[in-house]
């Protein structure tokens, strides 16, 4: 069975860049955009042109630079926003305007003080207006995660009729459970006229730590685009992490869903984004965290040394990491110690290992991690007492 394509819509430079304290200048955005293009993302959301002259300029320059991916610009359902997006995308080879409006009860009542019918009118007006500039128009139904499915279906049907090519169903507040979000996509697939002629997109936030799970649930239920960011950066607790989605689909081939991403570039993109944004990646972050391929407990180390697959489901090389690491701590066992000594040129016997191991534990108990320098010091002390020769 051939895998169906999941389009990767990267919004690192728009939703990701909204993170407090993480301002990127135009040059930095261009570097990231070029790398995203090389990584193989299908769409780059370059910014929100009406929001500031700086953002308008960045979108214009990214549109000129990007060769393969579609370049997308965000707008509210306002004529001046859409005009600005269209203007900024003037030089894009494959432009997309992303426009939309909040449709949940809360957004209708508190943000806009309008009825659902009025929101549908605005949505249809925005999509029709955007279509006068570009063929590819994505509509976002903001806060779709908390919107009644029947109401959402009415909005979707109306914007499809107006010419939307992609329907973005954002879980803006990160509220949904995976089953609930998956069921929402399924409901739209089954109840919206014309839905098979458009692409459904998942845009999930991570307030409950479920953004990636929700996006995958959406894809399983018929969505064919996932909106995500490098390292999962974004508003509040962030967005769906690109690297997680890509590797989940790569690992679970039984889902028959695949992306065109070159996964070997994931670590490089993660580090580049983190450095440029000045935003550290948490060490235990899935796929790209410093500890993602590090083993420190004795039981795990012993397994990994015998066969990597005992405790690793991903080959580190597949995400651009040269090899797994065996970290020496007071929880490490003899096999890890022997392995690390071998790496620095010592082939030690079982008896030698017993002595070295008890010395190692003393050092390990006094500091968090034992490094190669410590191992050399332990070995020097031992060799002086036992006349041990380096082999
Ligand atoms: O989270 C959200 O709803 C958004 C929209 C603007 C697409 O970012
Ligand atoms: Zn968002």
């Amino acid at each position: 069975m051939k895998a169906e394509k999941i389009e990767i819509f990267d919004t690192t430079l728009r939703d990701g860049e909204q993170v407090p304290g993480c301002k990127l200048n135009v040059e930095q955005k261009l570097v990231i955009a070029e790398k995203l293009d090389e990584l193989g993302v299908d769409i780059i959301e370059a910014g929100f042109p009406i929001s500031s002259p700086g953002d308008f300029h960045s979108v214009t320059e990214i549109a000129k630079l990007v060769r393969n991916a579609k370049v997308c610009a965000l707008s509210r359902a306002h004529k001046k926003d859409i005009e600005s997006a269209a203007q900024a995308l003037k030089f894009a080879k494959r432009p997309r305007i992303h426009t939309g409006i909040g449709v949940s009860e809360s957004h209708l009542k508190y943000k806009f003080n309008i009825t659902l019918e009025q929101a549908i009118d605005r949505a249809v007006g925005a999509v029709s207006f955007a279509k006068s500039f570009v063929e590819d128009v994505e509509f976002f139904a903001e806060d779709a995660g908390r919107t009644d499915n029947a109401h959402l279906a009415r909005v979707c049907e109306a914007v499809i009729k107006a010419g939307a090519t992609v329907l973005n169903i954002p879980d803006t507040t990160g509220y949904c459970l995976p089953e609930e979000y998956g069921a929402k996509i399924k409901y739209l697939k089954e109840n919206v006229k014309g839905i098979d002629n458009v692409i459904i997109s998942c845009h999930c936030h991570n307030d409950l730590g479920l953004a990636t799970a929700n996006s995958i649930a959406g894809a399983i239920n018929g969505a064919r685009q996932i909106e995500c960011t490098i390292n999962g950066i974004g508003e509040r607790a962030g967005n769906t992490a690109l690297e997680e989605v890509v590797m989940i689909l790569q690992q679970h081939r039984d889902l028959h869903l695949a992306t065109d991403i070159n996964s070997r570039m994931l670590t490089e993109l993660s580090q580049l984004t983190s450095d440029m944004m000045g935003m550290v990646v948490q060490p235990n972050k899935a796929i790209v965290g410093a500890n993602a391929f590090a083993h420190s407990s004795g039981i795990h180390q012993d397994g990994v040394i015998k066969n990597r697959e005992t405790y690793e489901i991903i080959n580190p090389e597949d995400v651009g990491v040269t090899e797994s690491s065996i970290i020496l701590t007071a929880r490490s066992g003899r096999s890890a110690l022997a392995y690390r000594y071998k790496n620095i040129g010592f082939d030690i016997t079982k008896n030698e290992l017993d002595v070295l191991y008890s010395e190692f534990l003393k050092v390990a108990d006094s500091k968090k991690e034992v490094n190669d320098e410590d191992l050399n010091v332990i070995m020097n002390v031992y060799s002086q007492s036992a006349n041990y020769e380096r082999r």
Side-chain angles (χ1 to χ4, degrees):
M1 187 173 167
K2 197 172 172 289
E4 281 189 51
K5 164 101 185 262
I6 296 293
E7 306 238 320
I8 294 294
F9 176 113
D10 181 277
T11 183
T12 305
L13 298 175
R14 199 279 297 170
D15 222 340
E17 207 250 355
Q18 290 175 208
V19 173
C22 285
K23 198 89 194 77
L24 293 172
N25 61 36
V26 188
E27 288 70 35
Q28 290 170 319
K29 286 187 186 179
L30 288 170
V31 172
I32 293 179
E34 198 163 29
K35 277 285 169 196
L36 288 171
D37 203 20
E38 200 184 325
L39 179 71
V41 307
D42 299 282
I43 304 105
I44 295 174
E45 187 164 49
F48 182 13
I50 193 82
S51 66
S52 76
D55 219 40
F56 182 93
H57 179 57
S58 307
V59 176
T60 309
E61 294 307 310
I62 292 168
K64 285 182 195 163
L65 177 80
V66 169
R67 266 171 282 162
N68 307 309
K70 294 171 186 161
V71 178
C72 176
L74 185 76
S75 72
R76 292 165 299 182
H78 294 164
K79 278 194 162 177
K80 62 181 184 356
D81 284 36
I82 296 168
E83 276 163 354
S84 173
Q87 186 76 18
L89 290 171
K90 199 165 61 184
F91 300 107
K93 288 170 198 66
R94 304 165 76 201
R96 174 182 293 180
I97 294 179
H98 188 190
T99 189
I101 187 167
V103 294
S104 64
E105 229 178 274
S106 152
H107 281 219
L108 294 178
K109 186 167 166 197
Y110 300 115
K111 257 178 82 171
F112 306 119
N113 192 23
I114 57 174
T115 62
L116 180 67
E117 281 63 35
Q118 287 169 315
I120 292 175
D121 281 349
R122 286 192 197 178
V124 166
V127 170
S128 311
F129 190 55
K131 284 294 268 195
S132 68
F133 298 100
V134 293
E135 168 49 33
D136 192 6
V137 174
E138 173 168 340
F139 174 79
F140 68 83
E142 199 181 9
D143 206 14
R146 291 188 300 170
T147 302
D148 172 78
N149 286 348
H151 289 179
L152 188 57
R154 285 183 54 200
V155 178
C156 291
E157 203 161 300
V159 296
I160 291 174
K161 250 193 224 150
T165 47
V166 181
L167 279 188
N168 179 8
I169 310 300
D171 185 20
T172 305
T173 57
Y175 171 75
C176 289
L177 294 171
E179 250 184 36
E180 194 181 357
Y181 188 76
K184 192 174 280 291
I185 302 298
K186 187 165 187 277
Y187 180 90
L188 296 176
K189 281 292 276 179
E190 289 170 354
N191 291 282
V192 172
K193 217 185 285 161
I195 197 90
D196 290 335
N197 304 323
V198 301
I199 290 180
I200 303 180
S201 185
C202 307
H203 178 112
C204 298
H205 279 268
N206 205 31
D207 300 65
L208 293 174
L210 292 170
T212 299
N214 285 342
S215 297
I216 297 295
I220 289 171
N221 284 281
R224 287 294 171 266
Q225 178 178 288
I226 293 180
E227 311 202 357
C228 43
T229 59
I230 301 289
N231 299 334
I233 56 164
E235 282 280 340
R236 307 181 308 279
N239 288 61
T240 300
L242 181 148
E243 60 278 4
E244 293 173 10
V245 163
V246 168
M247 292 316 292
I248 288 169
L249 298 184
Q250 203 158 301
Q251 289 296 308
H252 287 269
R253 296 201 191 266
D254 50 313
L255 293 177
H256 305 293
L257 299 170
T259 72
D260 282 346
I261 298 295
N262 173 5
S263 66
R264 288 176 177 251
M265 287 181 67
L266 289 174
T267 300
E268 181 191 349
L269 257 292
S270 164
Q271 282 165 4
L272 177 76
T273 308
S274 161
D275 290 348
M276 286 198 166
M277 290 197 162
M279 216 180 162
V280 180
V281 178
Q282 71 189 66
N284 58 329
K285 167 81 187 61
I287 318 295
V288 291
N291 294 348
F293 298 98
H295 306 274
S296 57
S297 88
I299 296 173
H300 290 208
Q301 290 174 329
D302 184 51
V304 169
I305 290 166
K306 286 174 177 150
N307 185 325
R308 192 190 58 74
E309 286 181 15
T310 52
Y311 287 95
E312 274 181 4
I313 57 163
I314 297 171
N315 182 342
E317 287 176 6
D318 289 349
V319 299
V321 172
T322 355
E323 57 179 359
S324 332
S325 46
I326 298 290
I327 309 292
L328 292 179
T329 70
R331 306 296 146 255
S332 300
R334 283 174 171 72
S335 58
L337 185 64
Y339 172 86
R340 284 283 298 270
Y341 265 125
K342 194 161 188 201
N343 276 359
I344 56 170
F346 297 100
D347 246 332
I348 47 186
T349 64
K350 189 175 171 316
N351 287 347
E352 287 160 352
L353 182 59
D354 286 341
V355 184
L356 287 165
Y357 186 66
S358 64
E359 287 311 307
F360 155 77
L361 282 183
K362 286 180 204 156
V363 179
D365 265 338
S366 68
K367 63 193 299 231
K368 194 84 195 126
E369 192 182 322
V370 177
N371 57 33
D372 287 351
E373 209 176 304
D374 299 320
L375 292 182
N376 276 314
V377 172
I378 297 168
M379 179 57 84
N380 276 341
V381 174
Y382 171 74
S383 24
Q384 274 161 22
S385 65
N387 209 13
Y388 181 85
E389 290 281 316
R390 186 175 181 145
R391 287 155 214 202

